[in-house]
Amino acid sequence: MNQNQVNLEPEEPLLPSPSSEMLAYMEKLYPLVFAFKQTKLWKSIRDSEPFAIQMPDGQTGCCILTGNEGDFISLSIYFGDAGWNSICDFYSEPVETEEARLEQMMSQSCVQVVFCCKDGLTETEVQSLRHYARENNIAFRGKNAYFCLRNSEPYHCSWFLETKEQADVLELGLRAAMDLHKQLEQGKTPAELGISSYIDTLPLYDGKTWSTMVLPERTAFPLTKPLLSDAMQQKIRRMKKGGGKWECQLFPFSSPVFAKEGAPFFPFLLMILDTKREQLLPQQPLQYNADILQKALDSFVQAIIDYGRCPKSIAVCDERTEAILSELCHKCGILLLKTTRFAMLDEAKAAFLEDMEAEKQADDAESEKMIAAFVEHLKDMTVEEIKDDAPLDVIRWLMVSDIPEDLMKKLEKVMEELQ
């Protein structure tokens, strides 16, 4: 099968530094986060036992603690329509396929406090936390000694907080968690506080008092069908329907790629297969936003024009792709078929993803060799020699890699002297 699909070259994103403005908002939360960590509230409240907060603007958010049964310790707050939809998905019936589970994870919307090792932080965040710790006689010991404050948007990697409002939401979530801990310390049980795995209702904290709220239903966002321009319609209508049956699906790719600015994103791929000729039409990845269906339609139309053939029928298996193609098929005399299983595209998609994973593993292996070579080169050097020999970008890259502790200390000293 011919696979003229674009090579995405997925990357493990390296975070830049947060802006000085947002770093200031984050630093204001440090006392609360350190105090919250001391409570170890996640040992008393499980991730299946959420609670809610009410913000001054009237919005409500849902707070989830993780860490009761594993190493991933976090407080996540979901708010707004997208956030509540994430919660509804989280507590709905388990998804049936691994692909659906991955998309559920990629589509989450929340702000978080995540406890982690320093390798998960940027150099700026590490230095900021260490400065605060020195000023307050705090020692970083053991696993998950550090923490980061993050924002997650649908189909994007976790990123820095971007607005004061996001910091305010985290602050209220932390204060609610601290108040829950206080009441548990006073002898109340989670059940008495309204904490339960039966989540028809949630305990709601407004900054001062607790009440009860009903868990909202999932907000329906009907898929807006994109518009087919008259010019594009005429071009396709004039083409001879000699392309046989095609199969098509728009789906998110599970490895992130860098954006021009902001958070790395999980690209959407529009996979188009001419089953008669066993040919995948070339497509470029799409970044998720409000116009993604329109961009997918425009891309599909251009692919038909470039290919020089128009299909007699197109098979789709999901509502998203159907919304993209329904108007085109209706206006251009193409039969749109709905299916639950593709005849050929599933196999082509699996082969494509396997190729991408093989390329990623090869890149990872090459990166490990490069890291090992740099470690061997630098390990016996003094701090001054490293400053003179190693480029700054290499030092930063090594500091977010798995390297020996003695070399890490030297690199940290280098960065301190370069500040």
Side-chain angles (χ1 to χ4, degrees):
M1 181 174 293
N2 298 316
Q3 296 194 35
N4 294 331
Q5 201 76 10
V6 66
N7 187 344
L8 290 177
E9 298 181 357
E11 299 281 354
E12 290 295 332
L14 297 177
L15 291 176
S17 296
S19 67
S20 57
E21 179 184 10
M22 286 315 304
L23 184 61
Y25 287 127
M26 292 160 62
E27 288 174 341
K28 290 180 180 178
L29 295 179
Y30 287 178
L32 264 178
V33 178
F34 277 108
F36 166 67
K37 187 180 182 184
Q38 293 301 312
T39 69
K40 294 182 171 54
L41 186 62
W42 53 88
K43 292 187 176 182
S44 303
I45 297 177
R46 298 185 293 270
D47 59 7
S48 60
E49 299 172 331
F51 54 95
I53 56 173
Q54 182 169 346
M55 290 161 271
D57 64 0
Q59 283 196 90
T60 55
C62 184
C63 304
I64 292 183
L65 281 167
T66 65
N68 185 269
E69 298 179 356
D71 291 335
F72 185 74
I73 301 171
S74 69
L75 170 64
S76 301
I77 301 139
Y78 299 78
F79 61 99
D81 289 340
W84 280 109
N85 282 354
S86 295
I87 287 295
C88 292
D89 288 343
F90 186 79
Y91 289 109
S92 63
E93 292 297 321
V95 293
E96 296 181 357
T97 65
E98 179 67 12
E99 182 177 336
R101 187 192 71 80
L102 286 172
E103 181 157 1
Q104 186 182 78
M105 295 299 295
M106 288 186 283
S107 63
Q108 289 191 77
S109 175
C110 64
V111 291
Q112 293 180 303
V113 179
V114 180
F115 294 94
C116 56
C117 63
K118 66 182 178 182
D119 292 348
L121 306 180
T122 66
E123 171 200 342
T124 300
E125 290 173 306
V126 171
Q127 297 303 325
S128 173
L129 282 168
R130 285 183 168 174
H131 174 75
Y132 178 86
R134 284 194 300 268
E135 293 290 317
N136 293 273
N137 296 317
I138 296 172
F140 294 104
R141 295 193 180 94
K143 295 176 63 177
N144 301 318
Y146 291 76
F147 62 81
C148 60
L149 309 178
R150 294 289 185 258
N151 173 53
S152 292
E153 299 291 341
Y155 302 104
H156 287 75
C157 292
S158 293
W159 200 242
F160 305 112
L161 301 185
E162 296 179 304
T163 66
K164 179 182 181 298
E165 288 71 26
Q166 292 170 353
D168 290 342
V169 171
L170 265 181
E171 179 179 358
L172 188 55
L174 286 163
R175 293 194 183 282
M178 295 292 291
D179 195 79
L180 282 177
H181 170 70
K182 177 182 177 181
Q183 295 192 59
L184 290 172
E185 288 283 286
Q186 293 172 348
K188 291 187 178 180
T189 66
E192 288 174 329
L193 298 173
I195 301 291
S196 172
S197 296
Y198 299 99
I199 56 169
D200 291 337
T201 61
L202 299 178
L204 176 66
Y205 184 68
D206 65 4
K208 295 181 180 179
T209 60
W210 289 88
S211 56
T212 300
M213 69 168 287
V214 176
L215 185 69
E217 296 182 358
R218 195 184 198 286
T219 302
F221 290 110
L223 294 171
T224 303
K225 294 181 180 180
L227 300 176
L228 179 68
S229 69
D230 291 338
M232 289 295 190
Q233 179 182 334
Q234 291 303 318
K235 286 183 180 180
I236 295 175
R237 288 177 66 89
R238 286 196 295 266
M239 295 179 71
K240 183 178 180 180
K241 306 296 189 297
K245 177 183 177 181
W246 290 8
E247 296 177 344
C248 184
Q249 185 181 16
L250 179 71
F251 66 95
F253 188 61
S254 59
S255 292
V257 299
F258 288 114
K260 291 182 179 179
E261 60 181 25
F265 63 95
F266 297 98
F268 274 76
L269 300 181
L270 182 65
M271 191 165 273
I272 309 167
L273 175 63
D274 178 348
T275 62
K276 182 177 181 180
R277 294 171 176 80
E278 298 188 1
Q279 175 73 49
L280 278 173
L281 279 63
Q283 290 287 288
Q284 293 298 317
L286 301 171
Q287 185 171 358
Y288 179 83
N289 55 36
D291 299 326
I292 189 169
L293 297 191
Q294 184 66 55
K295 291 179 180 178
L297 174 62
D298 295 343
S299 180
F300 186 90
V301 171
Q302 190 60 50
I304 291 179
I305 294 171
D306 294 343
Y307 194 51
R309 299 183 180 91
C310 188
K312 291 182 178 179
S313 63
I314 304 174
V316 300
C317 70
D318 63 282
E319 293 181 0
R320 187 163 49 207
T321 312
E322 180 184 353
I324 295 168
L325 300 179
S326 59
E327 183 184 21
L328 178 147
C329 291
H330 175 71
K331 291 184 175 181
C332 298
I334 301 171
L335 181 63
L336 184 63
L337 305 172
K338 299 178 186 179
T339 184
T340 57
R341 185 184 181 92
F342 290 119
M344 297 177 63
L345 186 61
D346 289 335
E347 181 179 346
K349 178 179 172 184
F352 173 75
L353 295 177
E354 286 176 5
D355 289 344
M356 292 300 302
E357 180 61 27
E359 289 183 18
K360 182 178 184 301
Q361 290 177 0
D363 290 342
D364 289 346
E366 186 62 29
S367 294
E368 289 177 4
K369 289 181 182 179
M370 292 177 64
I371 291 170
F374 278 120
V375 169
E376 184 65 25
H377 179 66
L378 299 174
K379 67 179 183 179
D380 296 324
M381 287 187 179
T382 66
V383 170
E384 290 301 319
E385 288 172 335
I386 292 174
K387 282 171 61 178
D388 294 336
D389 185 84
L392 188 58
D393 287 345
V394 170
I395 294 175
R396 286 173 171 161
W397 178 47
L398 291 174
M399 289 182 72
V400 294
S401 305
D402 185 13
I403 63 174
E405 184 65 25
D406 56 344
L407 178 57
M408 180 67 78
K409 290 180 180 178
K410 291 180 183 179
L411 297 184
E412 290 172 351
K413 184 65 175 176
V414 170
M415 296 307 299
E416 287 177 5
E417 294 185 5
L418 291 176
Q419 294 296 323

